[in-house]
Amino acid sequence: MTSLLHPTYFPSIALFSILVKTSCLLEVSDNYQKQTFRNRTYIYGANGKQILTVPILHTGGETGRQLYKDVQIDNGVTWQKLHWKTLQTAYRTSPYFEYYEDRIAPIFEEKYTFLLDLNFRTMEVILDCLHVQLDWEKTTEYKKVYQQTNDFRYLSHAKIVHDIKQDAYYQIFSDKHGFIGNLSTLDLLFHEGNHALGYLKEKVMV
């Protein structure tokens, strides 16, 4: 059965496990919602769980609503430099950071106008790191209910605690803060390297 997902910024382990295990329909036709992973992700820093947020331009007019695909990034803020420096600080001593940094760094050098384009790019780069090629479909209109799909759009809500079951893996700061689950897939990639794909397929249940 097809899974329905939102493209998000450096997606979570839960979302990426669905992406690599099932055929997916990606929601690009709905209105943008605040407090979601569409413009944020969580990583593991020296002080524990840490957020990275992409600043956006709010141009929803009087209603405050705008389509997800129309949301633009506020590039007047030096968010890319900050995000990359934060990732380097958090993961430079992780087992596989040096192996993947040359593939990921260009995301923070290229300029993106639309948030959706950036999110697709982060997904594509992670898939490249995992040596996976996927074909996905995109929605052409918004529907509250899709027939014959597993609707995982709720995974994009950042303020909801999702019931995700996953095995613990080594994290460089776990001696300080313990294992932190369902972070950005970058966390898994930098710690597990070429074992990350098998982990996503076998060690995560949503």
Side-chain angles (χ1 to χ4, degrees):
M1 186 176 289
T2 299
S3 297
L4 182 62
L5 299 164
H6 279 121
T8 61
Y9 180 58
F10 284 116
S12 68
I13 288 170
L15 190 150
F16 231 92
S17 71
I18 296 168
L19 196 67
V20 299
K21 287 190 287 191
T22 69
S23 61
C24 290
L25 176 65
L26 299 184
E27 176 65 89
V28 299
S29 304
D30 63 342
N31 286 327
Y32 178 79
Q33 292 179 315
K34 299 178 182 179
Q35 306 296 322
T36 66
F37 288 113
R38 302 186 207 207
N39 73 320
R40 70 182 66 184
T41 195
Y42 285 103
I43 64 170
Y44 201 154
N47 295 319
K49 193 173 182 180
Q50 186 171 357
I51 191 171
L52 297 178
T53 303
V54 179
I56 63 170
L57 297 172
H58 295 279
T59 57
E62 293 181 1
T63 65
R65 296 178 182 176
Q66 57 181 329
L67 293 173
Y68 180 17
K69 62 184 178 182
D70 293 336
V71 173
Q72 296 187 31
I73 298 169
D74 184 359
N75 286 310
V77 181
T78 58
W79 66 272
Q80 288 172 292
K81 183 178 180 180
L82 174 62
H83 284 201
W84 183 233
K85 184 177 180 180
T86 303
L87 286 170
Q88 287 176 308
T89 300
Y91 293 111
R92 61 190 167 195
T93 60
S94 63
Y96 293 95
F97 180 78
E98 291 185 1
Y99 185 78
Y100 295 112
E101 64 177 324
D102 288 343
R103 301 191 209 184
I104 294 169
I107 290 178
F108 303 100
E109 299 166 357
E110 302 166 11
K111 292 299 180 184
Y112 299 87
T113 299
F114 294 98
L115 177 63
L116 191 58
D117 292 337
L118 169 66
N119 289 351
F120 272 115
R121 184 62 182 146
T122 66
M123 295 166 66
E124 290 164 357
V125 168
I126 292 177
L127 286 169
D128 180 60
C129 291
L130 295 172
H131 302 291
V132 174
Q133 290 185 335
L134 295 180
D135 292 320
W136 49 54
E137 300 291 331
K138 300 178 184 178
T139 61
T140 56
E141 61 178 329
Y142 174 73
K143 296 179 183 179
K144 188 173 182 179
V145 177
Y146 281 81
Q147 301 298 323
Q148 297 183 333
T149 63
N150 288 319
D151 192 342
F152 291 106
R153 287 178 289 187
Y154 67 89
L155 289 176
S156 67
H157 292 287
K159 297 301 182 181
I160 298 175
V161 178
H162 304 297
D163 184 21
I164 309 300
K165 296 179 176 63
Q166 62 176 119
D167 288 2
Y169 56 88
Y170 167 75
Q171 294 169 318
I172 55 177
F173 298 117
S174 60
D175 58 332
K176 296 181 179 180
H177 309 288
F179 176 72
I180 301 178
N182 200 31
L183 297 173
S184 168
T185 304
L186 287 176
D187 185 82
L188 176 67
L189 192 66
F190 293 149
H191 287 107
E192 289 292 307
N194 58 2
H195 300 291
L197 180 59
Y199 180 94
L200 290 167
K201 290 183 174 182
E202 300 171 9
K203 306 297 184 180
V204 184
M205 293 186 64
V206 182

